[in-house]
Amino acid sequence: MAEQTAAPSSATTASPPLPPLIQNLPDDISLQILARVPRFRHPFLSLVSKSWRATVNSPELFRTRSLLRTSQSSLYLNLRIGASFRWYSERSPQNSSRTFTPLPSIPHHPVGSSILALGPKIYVIGGSINDIPSNNVWIFDCRSSNWEMGPRMRVAREFSAAGEFSGKIYVMGGCNIDNWSRSINWAEVFDPETGLWCAIPSEIELRDKWMHASAVIGSKFYAMADRGGVVLDIGRGGWGNVPKRLDLGWRGRAAVVDNVLYCYDYLGKIRGYDVEGDVWKELRGVEKGLPKFLCSSTMVNLDGKLCVVWEGKGKGNGKEKEVEIMCAEIEVKRDADGGLSGAILRLDVILVVPKGATISHCLAVEF
């Protein structure tokens, strides 16, 4: 009788244990060590080994950096140049002057999409392609510089309002409400942890289609529509109308710093809206260093500072064929008399692009 070959034991078939990230140290300690390395050194860390590369791109490292407060923010720009959209990222904010490098673009970038950053990822929400609104969500992972398709919204949208609060993404408007399904999903919330979109019940008299600006101040999500605006109190629940004074003074893209909403007025000056006092105040101390922002400028909160990006002067001999993209970083504060003042910390030319290029979005991404 032929001998039967013994079945291999589990000990011989099990995969060998992964080597520790750092020899003679537990991986949780090694993770805290790697989390203290500046982010712009991470490409060099990725060359050490496969396990280091996986750790550098892992959610665990991002959470550890957030807990240790070692995460860093940098600017990401989306420009419209002709019929195409181009993305750029800041190389290293620690340099004496800001420099930007081009990034991969979405195969078919939608028009009128809402764009925001959440953690190390950028979300491009909805928009239209060939004049057809879409419910697509594109996600760019800034750690790996890769685009991927995310979970689709429940309805297609273009020119919607989007904001982030407590790790979730809220969107409203930008869709027709000519049937029950669209009406019930006029506002939605996305949870990245579960990957699910859920409808937010809304009052029918508040449902406008087009949204042209939005911001989250405290726990309230403000969205400006063609006629007035709406506010969703995320913390307590419930809807309301945007204060009339805020509606009349809000112009262009805005940024929220220390619960003050900043934008530029019709004279091109930066003003801040104090929600508690329901009053607009001019930002003092920056008049001589900045131009008048009459169009095509955007703002963002960059590590608690007001960052303004705009189209500067043209370049080239004879007819100007290029234009400079400028960036100012401003420290803002409340004065003893209740006013607002700012100090320009740095002013840079960050890009030179073909004339006619417009700034679509400016984002501060933290990771």
Side-chain angles (χ1 to χ4, degrees):
M1 185 174 179
E3 291 185 2
Q4 293 184 349
T5 304
S9 65
S10 59
T12 60
T13 59
S15 300
L18 295 175
L21 289 171
I22 299 177
Q23 195 68 32
N24 299 325
L25 282 180
D27 278 355
D28 57 344
I29 301 298
S30 300
L31 185 65
Q32 295 206 21
I33 294 174
L34 296 179
R36 287 172 166 82
V37 178
R39 173 165 55 83
F40 293 94
R41 300 294 184 185
H42 287 186
F44 300 101
L45 299 183
S46 298
L47 300 176
V48 174
S49 65
K50 291 182 178 180
S51 58
W52 279 41
R53 186 182 308 117
T55 300
V56 165
N57 294 323
S58 68
E60 290 76 16
L61 184 71
F62 172 69
R63 284 193 287 267
T64 303
R65 286 172 60 81
S66 297
L67 291 172
L68 295 175
R69 297 185 178 180
T70 57
S71 57
Q72 297 168 286
S73 294
S74 58
L75 293 177
Y76 282 70
L77 294 180
N78 180 231
L79 304 181
R80 184 167 185 172
I81 303 176
S84 63
F85 289 86
R86 299 183 188 177
W87 284 90
Y88 300 87
S89 69
E90 188 175 11
R91 287 182 178 175
S92 175
Q94 297 173 333
N95 291 345
S96 58
S97 62
R98 285 193 159 97
T99 56
F100 281 69
T101 185
L103 296 173
S105 296
I106 304 173
H108 301 286
H109 200 296
V111 177
S113 54
S114 299
I115 301 178
L116 56 77
L118 178 56
K121 296 182 178 182
I122 294 173
Y123 292 78
V124 179
I125 302 169
S128 62
I129 298 177
N130 298 325
D131 296 326
I132 300 175
S134 168
N135 65 344
N136 289 342
V137 178
W138 285 95
I139 304 174
F140 183 76
D141 193 325
C142 298
R143 298 164 299 187
S144 58
S145 292
N146 289 324
W147 288 99
E148 65 176 4
M149 183 72 76
R152 290 181 171 86
M153 292 181 292
R154 300 164 73 93
V155 295
R157 303 175 189 273
E158 59 177 343
F159 301 106
S160 61
E164 179 270 332
F165 179 76
S166 191
K168 296 181 180 180
I169 295 174
Y170 293 79
V171 297
M172 66 175 73
C175 58
N176 289 317
I177 52 174
D178 54 359
N179 61 45
W180 181 86
S181 176
R182 289 173 178 169
S183 178
I184 202 68
N185 292 295
W186 182 81
E188 299 181 60
V189 57
F190 175 69
D191 186 347
E193 294 292 330
T194 63
L196 298 177
W197 287 94
C198 298
I200 303 175
S202 58
E203 301 173 21
I204 191 168
E205 60 269 19
L206 298 175
R207 298 174 189 162
D208 284 291
K209 180 179 180 182
W210 306 117
M211 298 292 177
H212 59 79
S214 61
V216 176
I217 308 175
S219 64
K220 294 183 177 180
F221 179 19
Y222 294 81
M224 308 309 297
D226 288 341
R227 301 181 301 276
V230 296
V231 55
L232 169 63
D233 191 330
I234 302 173
R236 298 182 179 180
W239 294 84
N241 294 309
V242 168
K244 186 175 181 179
R245 197 180 303 273
L246 174 59
D247 183 14
L248 294 175
W250 192 335
R251 183 171 185 264
R253 297 193 181 277
V256 178
V257 181
D258 192 22
N259 283 336
V260 174
L261 182 139
Y262 292 91
C263 66
Y264 54 87
D265 63 16
Y266 288 93
L267 298 177
K269 297 181 179 180
I270 299 177
R271 296 196 301 166
Y273 176 77
D274 189 333
V275 177
E276 294 181 0
D278 186 26
V279 60
W280 286 97
K281 304 173 184 178
E282 183 177 339
L283 183 64
R284 301 178 295 201
V286 297
E287 302 87 351
K288 295 182 179 179
L290 298 177
K292 292 183 178 180
F293 301 108
L294 296 177
C295 62
S296 193
S297 67
T298 186
M299 304 179 185
V300 68
N301 182 331
L302 181 67
D303 288 331
K305 300 177 181 63
L306 180 64
C307 188
V308 187
V309 180
W310 72 95
E311 297 169 18
K313 62 182 180 180
K315 291 179 65 66
N317 297 324
K319 292 184 177 180
E320 297 171 348
K321 296 182 179 180
E322 294 180 321
V323 66
E324 295 176 336
I325 303 297
M326 307 290 297
C327 176
E329 188 174 327
I330 307 169
E331 185 174 37
V332 292
K333 65 177 182 178
R334 300 173 187 262
D335 297 327
D337 62 0
L340 300 172
S341 63
I344 301 174
L345 302 180
R346 57 190 297 180
L347 181 65
D348 303 298
V349 177
I350 56 177
L351 280 173
V352 177
V353 296
K355 186 179 180 181
T358 57
I359 303 168
S360 174
H361 287 81
C362 176
L363 305 168
V365 182
E366 179 185 1
F367 61 105

